[in-house]
């Protein structure tokens, strides 16, 4: 009935949506606990078994079917499970399949139009990295843009999303997948996407880190290390850590600046990083040579100058 290969995104979305709904549903504490326990899963295969069990129980268990029905009709009354029940005219298996079809239709109805995410493409690494890092930055950025969206539905790990994609195409794929499996209505997804778009149009006007890194490409690794030590206090996000030395090193450094809301804090970090880079360049150029100050008489100095000409 449910299959990991074909239904992984739909199952992840349904689990995310229902977990968010039961927190505000008018049900008892034990009933809420049992639902959470039923939907708990460490990986997509365990989730598949749990969603399959939930679907089968919904055929004969009036309470489960009522909760599912209320959860779906809260968004759209078309998705009604009240008429589905075990009867002589419909076998339990057939009823379970109908419930699955309604759940999948509900999942599809909560998806954004296909062209909604086209402005985020891997040909613009800065946009991709900003959107990805803003979405996942919950544990590392205290003043992130998206704090109001951080509910139990918004849990990167429970959505089975990759925290440290290896290349820009994978980053884009994780962004697309997030908007597929995040368990909220299409309207709320669109609100978040519009907010991200507005924020990106604001931060992309700040070019100092990008220009500095372009003019000092030999200091990219040094900049990455400096940001890790000074900004993240050596505890940086997985998406930052994985690109210590890769094609995306420059872009994760830029994304760190893009995520800083306070402009003074951002400018100060930029100033410190550029000063640190200039110092390292000077030291590298000087090598082992050290300036020595020698005191001599003016007559000897004038003689030396004359001989040097």
């Amino acid at each position: 009935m449910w299959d990991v290969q074909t239904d992984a995104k739909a199952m992840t979305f349904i689990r995310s949506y229902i977990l968010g709904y039961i927190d505000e549903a008018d049900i008892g504490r034990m009933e809420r606990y049992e639902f959470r326990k039923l939907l708990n899963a460490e990986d997509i295969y365990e989730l598949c078994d749990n969603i399959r069990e939930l679907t089968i129980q919904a055929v004969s268990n009036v309470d489960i079917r009522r909760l599912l029905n209320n959860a779906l009709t809260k968004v759209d009354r078309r998705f009604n499970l009240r008429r589905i029940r075990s009867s002589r005219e419909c076998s339990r298996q057939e009823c379970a399949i109908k419930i699955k079809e309604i759940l999948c239709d509900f999942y599809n109805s909560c998806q954004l139009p296909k062209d909604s995410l086209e402005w985020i493409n891997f040909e613009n690494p800065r946009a991709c990295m900003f959107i990805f890092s803003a979405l996942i930055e919950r544990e590392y950025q205290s003043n992130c843009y998206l704090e109001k969206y951080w509910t139990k539905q918004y849990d990167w790990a429970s959505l089975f999303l990759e925290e440290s994609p290896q290349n820009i195409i994978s980053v884009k794929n994780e962004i697309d997948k997030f908007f597929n499996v995040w368990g909220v209505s299409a309207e709320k997804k669109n609100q978040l996407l519009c907010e991200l778009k507005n924020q990106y149009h604001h931060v992309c006007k700040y070019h100092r880190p990008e220009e500095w890194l372009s003019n000092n490409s030999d200091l990219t690794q040094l900049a990455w290390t400096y940001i890790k030590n000074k900004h993240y206090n050596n505890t940086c996000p997985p998406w930052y850590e994985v690109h210590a030395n890769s094609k995306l090193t420059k872009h994760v450094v830029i994304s760190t600046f893009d995520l800083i809301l306070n402009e003074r804090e951002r400018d100060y970090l930029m100033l410190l990083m550029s000063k640190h880079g200039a110092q390292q360049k000077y030291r590298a150029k000087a090598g082992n040579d050290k300036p020595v100050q020698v005191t001599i008489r003016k007559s000897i100095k004038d003689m030396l100058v004359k001989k040097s000409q």
Side-chain angles (χ1 to χ4, degrees), residues 59 85-97:
V59 175
R85 59 186 181 278
S86 182
S87 67
R88 294 178 181 178
E89 298 177 0
C90 182
S91 68
R92 289 174 59 87
Q93 181 67 15
E94 290 171 335
C95 287
I97 291 173

Side-chain angles (χ1 to χ4, degrees), residues 140-156:
Y140 300 89
Q141 190 78 12
S142 59
N143 58 349
C144 189
Y145 306 102
L146 311 179
E147 187 173 356
K148 65 182 180 182
Y149 293 96
W150 288 340
T151 64
K152 288 186 178 180
Q153 294 159 293
Y154 192 116
D155 186 322
W156 203 262

Side-chain angles (χ1 to χ4, degrees), residues 67-81:
L67 184 138
L68 287 177
N69 181 77
N70 293 341
L72 302 186
T73 54
K74 179 184 177 182
V75 174
D76 193 326
R77 293 188 176 277
R78 291 177 301 162
F79 303 102
N80 196 310
L81 301 178

Side-chain angles (χ1 to χ4, degrees), residues 121-131 168 171 200 247-248 251-252 255:
N121 60 75
F122 57 83
E123 294 179 358
N124 185 351
R126 184 174 181 180
C128 277
M129 285 308 308
F130 169 73
I131 300 301
I168 201 64
V171 169
Y200 177 69
K247 292 181 179 179
L248 291 181
H251 297 290
V252 297
S255 287

